[in-house]
Structures are given as C-alpha cells and as structure tokens.
Amino acid sequence: MPASPVTAVLVHSPFLGPASLRPLADALASLGHPAVLLDLRPSVVTPPVHQVLLGAFADAMSEELLDGSVVLIGHSGAGPLLPGFADALEEGVAGLVFVDAGLPTPGRAWRDTVPASLYSELRAMSREGQLPRWQRWFSPDPLSVVADPALRAEIADEAPEVPVAFLKEERPEVEWTGPAGYVQLSPPYDADAAAAQAQGWPIRRLATHHLAPATDPAPVARAILEVLAQLL
C-alpha cells in the first residue's frame, strides 16, 4: 500500500457513466485514500468530443480540493485519454493507473486502433450520427455480470449516446513520461497488459470481469493500491 494517502481521481469510460466506478471510489476511500469521481457524460455528446471533454475535466477539477499525491485512474475507454487529462490539470499528477483500459495512442483515433470491421459495425448501428449505448454494442449484454438490479439499471441508464465522430477524432498528442501502472481484469485486455508490462510498468492481474470496479470493488481497490505502492 502507498506509504501515505493519495487522492485518486477516477475517470470513467466515455461510453459509460460514474456509476461504473462509484463503488470503487467508496472502496478506495474506505482504505484511507480519498477519491474524486466526476460525471463526464455531458462532455461526450457533441463533437469535437476530445476538446470539450478535456476542457470540462480541467474546469471541474479546478473546483476540487486535492491533498497529497494526485493519481489518475482510468477505466476502459478512459485509458487512452489519461495523458491528456493529466496535461490539462494545474496540479501535478504523480502517476497514472490503467484499469482494464486501452493504452495511450497520441494522435491516433479510436478507429485506427480496432479492426475495421468493428468500426463499420458500430457505424451501421448508429442513428442520426449517434452510437447506441455501450451495452447494445455486444451480445450477450455485458451488463449481465452486474447482479444488483438497481446498479445494473443505473449503469445502463447512464451510458451516453456518443457521436460516431468521436471514433474518428485524433486523440490529443500528449505523451506521458511519468510513472504508470496497469490492473487487468478481463481477457480482452491481455495485449494492453502485456504492452504495459513490456514497458516496465507494475502490473496486477485479477481473474474477474470488466465491470468488477462496480460489482466487486474491494479487490480492485487493493490491486490499484499495490500498483501505486510501486510507483510513488
């Protein structure tokens, strides 16, 4: 565990909402590490999404009182955006932790990092330039792993309809050269975890699922803190 308390800024996926990380925020706080969880959904519904999102993040964070070391923890689709978020903050960021998340690809779009068939499939599913909610991208429903019906409904209701244009926008050309670590939760992120490990990052792997920060947050919180103990 980190020698002193850190402030964990939790960044939810652009395709989900804060409910997907709120139990994790509570788990970190219960272990003595205050967590900040913003609602970024209003910033992802109108292009240019990256520009609006980074500006809204910086504005919201300027209102927060941050104590001690500040770390950014990004889940899922938030991973590639973490360097941009860190660059947008006035406060120095001590480290980044990627939780079952994509790694940064500065200057490249989401479309450039996935098979062309996936982008074509999502574009075909879109209506009036908006993507369907994240859980409708897949079959079976990925929210079926959330046993609590109230939490499952909250996560489903929060998922925004993101513009298709977001998938084609180039990500901010910001390089992160500071400490970073990775927590893998599910097999689809094998390649990202391996790439992180190849860079010498501390890694923790849990045999669980992508939405474990919501459904089983305690072990995820401990894994994050174990990674941070090696970074800070």
Side-chain angles (χ1 to χ4, degrees):
M1 300 296 173
S4 57
V6 301
T7 295
V9 179
L10 302 183
V11 187
H12 64 77
S13 168
F15 306 111
L16 289 170
S20 62
L21 293 182
R22 191 168 293 114
L24 176 59
D26 293 340
L28 287 167
S30 72
L31 293 170
H33 300 277
V36 175
L37 177 60
L38 305 177
D39 185 353
L40 301 176
R41 290 174 297 158
S43 307
V44 301
V45 295
T46 304
V49 173
H50 288 97
Q51 180 179 336
V52 175
L53 186 56
L54 293 177
F57 178 81
D59 287 346
M61 288 301 298
S62 69
E63 303 297 323
E64 298 287 339
L65 296 176
L66 305 176
D67 295 324
S69 298
V70 175
V71 297
L72 302 188
I73 299 171
H75 176 241
S76 191
L81 308 179
L82 288 187
F85 286 132
D87 187 62
L89 292 185
E90 295 179 1
E91 299 282 342
V93 173
L96 306 180
V97 179
F98 297 76
V99 179
D100 230 34
L103 298 183
T105 57
R108 299 179 67 197
W110 183 94
R111 179 179 62 175
D112 301 329
T113 64
V114 301
S117 58
L118 176 57
Y119 171 73
S120 297
E121 182 179 349
L122 290 178
R123 186 177 59 182
M125 294 168 64
S126 66
R127 295 292 181 270
E128 299 181 353
Q130 302 295 115
L131 293 165
R133 297 181 184 222
W134 175 77
Q135 62 269 23
R136 296 176 183 165
W137 297 9
F138 310 99
S139 182
D141 183 353
L143 297 186
S144 62
V145 298
V146 183
D148 183 333
L151 178 59
R152 184 170 62 249
E154 186 178 12
I155 295 174
D157 290 344
E158 283 190 353
E161 294 182 348
V162 178
V164 176
F166 175 60
L167 306 183
K168 300 183 288 183
E169 290 181 10
E170 292 183 357
R171 289 164 173 163
E173 294 201 35
V174 178
E175 299 283 351
W176 174 257
T177 58
Y182 200 97
V183 175
Q184 184 186 1
L185 307 176
S186 64
Y189 289 87
D190 284 342
D192 294 289
Q197 189 169 32
Q199 296 183 62
W201 296 3
I203 304 291
R204 289 292 183 274
R205 291 182 171 90
L206 302 179
T208 181
H209 58 78
H210 189 57
L211 296 178
T215 65
D216 193 18
V220 180
R222 288 194 295 269
I224 289 170
L225 294 175
E226 289 170 2
V227 166
L228 288 175
Q230 298 184 59
L231 297 183
L232 307 179

